[in-house]
């Protein structure tokens, strides 16, 4: 099977919540030479999206969403992270405070962004999920990061990103950090509208964008 075919099957296996097939197809795809990034972005992430569509259509319920997250995390731990961490660059790039915004407990994408940033040489302070604007402000005071990263997966919680930016402004800290936002419902237009400095569609792009942000080049 070609890489494309393997990744298509991987997407289907995750959508079906077939853990052993997800496991074996991930291993095969990596053996075949598909990059870990391709496996995640063209196999696993579309599989998760399909789980989401089935949830919307009433074919899946909350337990299936939770199972999909467990399967995703298991193959990340078993196959993807060991390959990625071998690629560690080591050179220090800067400090990032990251979190999933208030009201939102989705953390798979945020964790992936945090891992990729660490591998690239960023120091990452991960505030976890359901992070209030006050907590972001406190963390900026405490850690003095170069960048604040926010993730949101719900159309309702993405609005919290604006509140964080406003809270940073009110605390007189907005100019001391660059702000990057991301997550499935977030767009470049939304990032511009709320006054973020940058947006990234996936974890690899987040790394490239953060590198540019620390060099002071990028403004959305
Ligand atoms: Co929920 N969920 N969920 N869920 N869930 C979605 C997001 C949903 C789209 C499913 C659907 O209906 N189609 C839908 C939101 C609809 C909407 O708002 N329009 C939804 C819903 C409704 C809910 C609940 C409300 C369900 C309920 O309770 N009735 C509930 C909300 C809980 C809450 O947060 N308050 C809920 C709960 C859950 C679980 C806890 C069961 C579980 C999450 C487990 C966990 O994260 N630990 C879950 C899951 C698994 C999903 C789906 C199926 C998968 C999400 C995922 O992990 N994707 C999701 C469907 C979907 O995504 N389309 C869905 C894989 C991950 C690698 O991709 O997170 O997009 P993603 O991250 C990407 C990019 O977005 C980007 O890079 C990442 C890597 O490429 N990125 C960034 C992310 N953050 C970034 C930050 C950056 C830059 C890039 O800079 C800082």
């Amino acid at each position: 099977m070609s890489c494309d075919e393997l990744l298509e099957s991987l997407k289907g296996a995750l959508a079906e919540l077939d853990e052993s097939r997800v496991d074996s197809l991930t291993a095969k795809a990596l053996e075949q030479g598909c990059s870990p990034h391709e496996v995640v972005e063209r196999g696993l992430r579309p599989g998760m999206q399909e789980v989401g569509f089935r949830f919307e259509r009433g074919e899946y319920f909350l337990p299936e969403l939770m199972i999909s997250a467990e399967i995703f995390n298991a193959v990340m731990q078993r196959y993807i992270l060991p390959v990625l961490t071998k690629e560690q660059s080591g050179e220090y790039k800067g400090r990032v405070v990251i979190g999933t915004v208030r009201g939102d407990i989705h953390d798979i994408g945020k964790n992936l962004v945090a891992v990729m940033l660490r591998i690239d040489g960023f120091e990452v302070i991960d505030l976890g999920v359901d992070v209030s604007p006050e907590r972001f402000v406190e963390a900026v005071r405490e850690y003095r990061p170069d960048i604040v990263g926010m993730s949101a997966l719900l159309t309702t919680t993405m609005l919290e990103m604006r509140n964080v930016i406003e809270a940073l402004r009110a605390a007189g800290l907005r100019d001391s950090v660059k702000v990057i936002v991301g997550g499935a419902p977030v767009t470049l237009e939304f990032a511009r509208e709320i006054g973020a400095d940058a947006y990234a569609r996936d974890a690899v792009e987040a790394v490239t964008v953060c590198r540019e942000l620390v060099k002071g080049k990028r403004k959305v």
Side-chain angles (χ1 to χ4, degrees), residues 25-202:
L25 285 165
T26 303
K28 257 195 213 141
L30 291 169
E31 268 166 39
Q32 186 97 345
C34 317
S35 73
H37 174 60
E38 282 178 313
V39 173
V40 172
E41 292 300 332
R42 291 176 44 214
L44 298 172
R45 187 174 165 195
M48 297 296 269
Q49 272 162 351
E50 181 54 32
V51 169
F53 294 140
R54 291 184 190 191
F55 175 76
E56 268 175 41
R57 296 200 295 263
E59 296 160 18
Y60 279 175
F61 299 94
L62 214 47
E64 280 84 5
L65 289 189
M66 289 161 84
I67 293 166
S68 71
E70 279 166 23
I71 298 175
F72 186 103
N73 283 332
V75 289
M76 283 300 290
Q77 290 297 332
R78 181 151 187 214
Y79 298 107
I80 308 289
L81 294 181
V83 181
L84 287 178
T85 38
K86 273 196 207 139
E87 293 167 6
Q88 197 123 19
S89 93
E91 187 196 326
Y92 181 78
K93 304 268 179 11
R95 183 180 289 164
V96 182
V97 159
I98 196 168
T100 299
V101 296
R102 182 163 61 189
D104 200 323
I105 59 166
H106 294 87
D107 66 357
I108 293 178
K110 183 264 298 165
N111 292 346
L112 195 56
V113 172
V115 164
M116 297 296 288
L117 286 171
R118 285 194 182 112
I119 287 168
D120 199 58
F122 283 91
E123 180 191 355
V124 180
I125 292 124
D126 187 346
L127 304 178
V129 297
D130 190 19
V131 182
S132 67
E134 297 73 26
R135 179 69 192 109
F136 274 108
V137 167
E138 205 180 285
V140 170
R141 279 215 184 92
E142 188 178 347
Y143 299 107
R144 298 276 157 198
D146 301 289
I147 300 171
V148 170
M150 289 183 261
S151 180
L153 264 286
L154 299 171
T155 43
T156 45
T157 58
M158 65 194 266
L159 306 174
E160 279 290 341
M161 292 173 162
R162 188 196 299 274
N163 296 338
V164 174
I165 292 174
E166 275 168 15
L168 288 171
R169 198 168 286 131
L173 295 166
R174 178 65 187 92
D175 294 338
S176 72
V177 286
K178 298 286 183 188
V179 174
I180 175 172
V181 293
V186 179
T187 60
L188 179 61
E189 291 65 39
F190 178 75
R192 286 195 173 125
E193 196 188 305
I194 62 170
D197 296 297
Y199 158 78
R201 153 177 13 105
D202 61 39

